[in-house]
């Protein structure tokens, strides 16, 4: 007998409106998953910030938007940073709205990486699930994730094994990867294009290393992304010869993939443990090989010698040498890997299975309520 559709409340990132780009990779993840779950026949309600808009393919989703102050991001937090909840904060109001609607639903799925939803989970009867979008960035968040895992690890899922390894978990992590609408990415086979880099323009993304590698080759580097830290962007540009960096800004997917697909290679240079690596997969979907530091999620996604090259973290010379070898990569293999591992159908199926497994009654957990 086929399983009945789920009724799910989705809790968006509390950092910016969906569609603004301020939520970083979480926006792409949420968009892809909504589309995939909708295609699978599930009923969805999205709680998001004012100004959010539904992506194509999600017309049946019930969108509820709320005003409030953005939650500070944990991405730049110190190890001992405290929890901060702004006055009239968006996170608290979004969580309250989700919990209010939850009794009529099967579960709530939270996409925001923050302490409050994690801490709340054991204290409410509502099944609250969390797709963890970052690795270990601060002690208080690490404690919250590990504490929830000890209570019921079924409520947590991660994008990659490397991300999950940041945390002390009692059982092997539930890894769901990520997913993309491959109809939006065109395979390009030309191998004589420029070099590219994409991501938020912020120190943990390591743009300065990619710029230095391009400069060493005497080439221009196309850069796409939101300038989250303008002073950092200026410093990176000042550190290489004039004209090395060609700023392309933050582009919607259809424009990004069109320009990115013309690149000879994408350079990926994270200075921290990336949870996944959306731009890596977007490049591969276009047939673009990726040269990346063997760190975090990208190091788990790239098959060195088949879909790109992995090099030791922070080794700029190794980047240069690997970029000289990207012509050895068959661009069709890059696309094939995405088709097998990272479509939105594959992703939404994994997430659905995770939630269904987590909804199975556990007597030991029920006894704690």
């Amino acid at each position: 007998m086929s399983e009945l559709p789920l009724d799910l409340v989705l809790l968006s990132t509390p950092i910016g409106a969906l569609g603004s780009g301020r939520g970083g990779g979480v926006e792409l993840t949420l968009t892809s998953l909504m589309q995939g779950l909708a295609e699978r026949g599930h009923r969805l309600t999205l709680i998001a910030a004012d100004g959010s808009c539904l992506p194509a393919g999600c017309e049946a989703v019930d969108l509820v938007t709320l005003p409030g102050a953005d939650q500070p991001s944990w991405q730049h937090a110190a190890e001992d940073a405290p929890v901060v909840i702004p006055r009239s904060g968006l996170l608290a109001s979004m969580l309250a709205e989700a919990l209010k609607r939850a009794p009529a639903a099967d579960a709530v799925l939270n996409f925001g990486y923050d302490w409050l939803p994690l801490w709340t989970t054991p204290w409410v009867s509502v099944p609250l699930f969390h797709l963890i979008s970052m690795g270990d960035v601060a002690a208080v968040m690490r404690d919250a994730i590990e504490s929830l895992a000890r209570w019921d690890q079924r409520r947590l899922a991660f994008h990659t094994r490397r991300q999950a390894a940041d945390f002390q978990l009692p059982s092997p992590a539930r890894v769901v990867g990520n997913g993309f609408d491959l109809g939006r990415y065109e395979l390009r086979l030309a191998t004589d294009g420029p070099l590219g880099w994409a991501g938020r323009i912020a120190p943990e993304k390591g743009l300065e290393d990619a710029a230095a590698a391009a400069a060493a080759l005497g080439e221009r580097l196309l850069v796409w992304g939101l300038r989250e830290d303008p002073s950092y962007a200026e410093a990176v540009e000042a550190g290489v010869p004039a004209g090395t960096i060609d700023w392309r800004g933050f582009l919607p997917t259809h424009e990004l993939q069109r320009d990115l697909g013309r690149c000879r290679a994408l350079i990926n240079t994270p200075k921290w443990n990336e949870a996944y690596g959306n731009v890596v997969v977007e490049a591969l979907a276009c047939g673009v090989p990726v040269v990346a530091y063997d760190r975090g999620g990208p190091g788990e996604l790239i098959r060195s010698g088949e879909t790109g090259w992995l090099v030791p973290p922070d080794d700029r010379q190794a980047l240069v040498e690997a970029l000289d070898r990207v012509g050895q990569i068959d661009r069709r293999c890059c696309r094939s890997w995405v088709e097998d591992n990272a479509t939105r159908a594959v992703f939404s199926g994994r997430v659905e299975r995770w939630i269904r497994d987590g909804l199975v009654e556990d007597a030991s957990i029920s006894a704690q309520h």
Side-chain angles (χ1 to χ4, degrees), residues 157-183:
F158 300 85
H159 289 293
T160 59
R161 292 184 300 277
R162 289 192 179 194
Q163 173 205 10
D166 273 4
F167 306 101
Q168 296 295 317
L169 304 173
S171 304
R174 188 72 176 239
V175 174
V176 296
N178 214 337
F180 301 78
D181 176 6
L182 292 195

Side-chain angles (χ1 to χ4, degrees), residues 177-210:
N178 214 337
F180 301 78
D181 176 6
L182 292 195
R184 304 183 70 189
Y185 299 89
E186 181 183 352
L187 172 63
R188 304 290 186 90
L189 298 178
T191 60
D192 57 352
L195 300 175
W197 185 98
R200 285 179 298 102
I201 315 302
E204 70 273 10
K205 296 294 189 175
L207 173 58
E208 67 273 20
D209 288 7

Side-chain angles (χ1 to χ4, degrees), residues 63-340:
L63 174 63
V64 179
T65 62
L66 298 170
D70 276 10
Q71 187 69 12
S73 172
W74 285 96
Q75 286 170 332
H76 308 297
E79 164 69 10
D80 60 351
V83 173
V84 175
I85 301 179
R87 184 182 183 188
S88 302
L90 185 59
L91 174 62
S93 62
M94 286 171 54
L95 179 58
E97 182 67 23
L99 294 177
K100 182 175 76 175
R101 292 170 175 269
D106 292 301
V108 174
L109 176 53
N110 169 47
F111 291 82
Y113 185 96
D114 220 291
W115 177 88
L116 183 60
L118 294 163
W119 181 88
T120 301
T121 302
W123 302 105
V124 295
S125 58
V126 170
L128 184 51
F129 293 79
H130 307 269
L131 180 52
I132 304 299
S133 59
M134 287 192 282
D136 179 15
V137 295
V140 68
M141 282 299 297
R142 179 174 65 249
D143 291 347
I145 290 169
E146 292 176 353
S147 176
L148 183 54
R150 290 191 295 272
W151 178 77
D152 186 357
Q153 190 177 317
R154 298 176 306 163
R155 301 296 185 88
L156 300 172
F158 300 85
H159 289 293
T160 59
R161 292 184 300 277
R162 289 192 179 194
Q163 173 205 10
D166 273 4
F167 306 101
Q168 296 295 317
L169 304 173
S171 304
R174 188 72 176 239
V175 174
V176 296
N178 214 337
F180 301 78
D181 176 6
L182 292 195
R184 304 183 70 189
Y185 299 89
E186 181 183 352
L187 172 63
R188 304 290 186 90
L189 298 178
T191 60
D192 57 352
L195 300 175
W197 185 98
R200 285 179 298 102
I201 315 302
E204 70 273 10
K205 296 294 189 175
L207 173 58
E208 67 273 20
D209 288 7
L217 292 168
E219 295 195 44
R220 186 169 52 116
L221 179 67
L222 309 188
V223 175
W224 296 275
L226 189 70
R227 285 205 192 196
E228 188 174 272
D229 188 333
S231 62
Y232 167 73
E234 292 171 4
V236 171
E237 188 165 33
V240 292
T244 298
I245 297 180
D246 184 346
W247 300 104
R248 296 300 180 101
F250 176 79
L251 299 180
T253 297
H254 71 281
E255 294 181 35
L256 173 63
Q257 71 87 27
R258 179 195 63 203
D259 294 346
L260 178 58
R262 299 189 180 111
C263 287
R264 184 169 85 258
L266 178 78
I267 308 175
N268 187 254
T269 48
K271 295 293 185 177
W272 70 330
N273 186 14
E274 291 275 9
Y276 188 72
N278 285 339
V279 296
V280 167
V281 181
E282 289 186 282
L284 295 177
C286 298
V288 177
V290 181
V291 174
Y293 287 153
D294 191 2
R295 173 184 278 143
E300 190 171 313
L301 302 176
I302 298 163
R303 293 181 177 175
S304 199
E306 295 181 21
T307 61
W309 298 100
L310 294 171
V311 303
D314 308 318
D315 189 336
R316 294 180 176 182
Q317 182 55 38
L319 283 177
V320 173
E321 294 170 0
L323 288 167
D324 276 336
R325 301 198 304 273
V326 292
Q328 300 174 22
I329 303 298
D330 183 345
R331 292 169 73 102
R332 295 179 184 83
C333 290
C334 300
R335 174 76 176 203
S336 294
W337 182 91
V338 181
E339 292 172 346
D340 292 340

